Amino acid sequence: LVAKYLGEEGRNHSLPLSVKAGFTLGNPMAFDSRNTHAIASPIIAQGIKIEILKVFRNLLPMMKLDRYYYRESIYGMLRAWSLADLDRAACKAFCRNDGNVFRIGYQDARDYWKDASSYRYVPFVSVPLLQLTSADDFLVQKSFQHRMYCNLCNPNVTVIETACGGHLGWRESTGNFADKVLVEFFTSVLKEDDAKTMNSHRRSRL
């Protein structure tokens, strides 16, 4: 979300001046649920289905609709074994272009995955962006590595890859490594911004 936002606003030259930098943790760069780890995929899908069941009352109006594909799509979401199957069923339910109030703008799961990916926007990031990733992150590292060129073509983007940490698991005996990096990064950015502001004021006085 952070990388995509900075890239979209940078491309459109509409990034607010108050936004000085960005920081991402375990960004996959490219989403495609079909590539999710074979063990992680059903576990994540199960967690999402639990959340769906928690708000099941909100889905009841759709379940009562005469449209067969709505009922089947929601049942398909609850029956889905993998994360990719769940995404396909969700897009079938909510993305059909028939004027229904539930449509969210995607033609299918591939369209959703493409739009959710940040790799197309990272080259347009116009402020310092630090992406922290781990070499043993079984969920996103493969995808991140395949899109590394998007980071390399933008001098505003810095990548830190740790040897270990898994997916968002940078724990140390003295605290969270990611928290320390984040604080140091933003402190550095703000100091540089303050220095530029002071130099600008000095030049204007001269």
Side-chain angles (χ1 to χ4, degrees), residues 11-205:
R11 182 185 60 180
N12 297 327
H13 305 288
S14 55
L15 187 69
L17 294 177
S18 58
V19 179
K20 303 298 182 182
F23 189 83
T24 70
L25 300 171
N27 177 17
M29 297 284 283
F31 278 96
D32 191 331
S33 297
R34 294 171 298 181
N35 298 331
T36 306
H37 192 278
I39 296 177
S41 180
I43 294 175
I44 297 174
Q46 185 66 23
I48 295 175
K49 286 189 285 185
I50 291 174
E51 294 302 314
I52 291 174
L53 290 173
K54 288 181 181 179
V55 295
F56 192 77
R57 62 182 181 275
N58 296 326
L59 298 177
L60 287 178
M62 291 185 65
M63 301 290 283
K64 295 177 181 178
L65 290 175
D66 292 334
R67 295 183 179 89
Y68 172 79
Y69 60 81
Y70 277 133
R71 295 195 302 273
E72 283 302 301
S73 296
I74 292 180
Y75 286 135
M77 290 167 64
L78 298 175
R79 291 194 302 260
W81 173 254
S82 70
L83 186 58
D85 289 339
L86 194 150
D87 283 349
R88 292 189 188 99
C91 284
K92 185 178 179 181
F94 299 116
C95 303
R96 194 173 179 113
N97 188 12
D98 65 346
N100 71 78
V101 297
F102 301 106
R103 189 168 191 275
I104 56 178
Y106 300 116
Q107 297 298 324
D108 52 29
R110 288 186 179 184
D111 189 29
Y112 160 64
W113 294 329
K114 180 180 178 180
D115 184 67
S117 301
S118 63
Y119 72 91
R120 294 179 297 136
Y121 303 98
V122 167
F124 301 102
V125 172
S126 58
V127 295
L129 170 64
L130 178 60
Q131 302 217 67
L132 180 61
T133 185
S134 175
D136 65 347
D137 188 335
F138 67 95
L139 274 179
V140 306
Q141 187 59 15
K142 184 177 180 180
S143 174
F144 186 87
Q145 288 290 344
H146 286 172
R147 304 293 179 176
M148 181 62 77
Y149 65 90
C150 298
N151 296 307
L152 297 177
C153 71
N154 189 338
N156 293 314
V157 180
T158 302
V159 174
I160 294 180
E161 180 183 280
T162 60
C164 58
H167 187 61
L168 311 181
W170 292 283
R171 297 296 301 174
E172 296 180 318
S173 59
T174 57
N176 191 311
F177 172 75
D179 291 346
K180 295 178 181 178
V181 174
L182 184 149
V183 171
E184 291 180 8
F185 172 66
F186 280 117
T187 299
S188 175
V189 169
L190 292 176
K191 285 183 178 179
E192 183 177 351
D193 186 67
D194 288 341
K196 289 181 179 179
T197 301
M198 291 179 63
N199 290 333
S200 177
H201 288 326
R202 289 172 183 171
R203 286 195 296 270
S204 63
R205 289 174 184 172

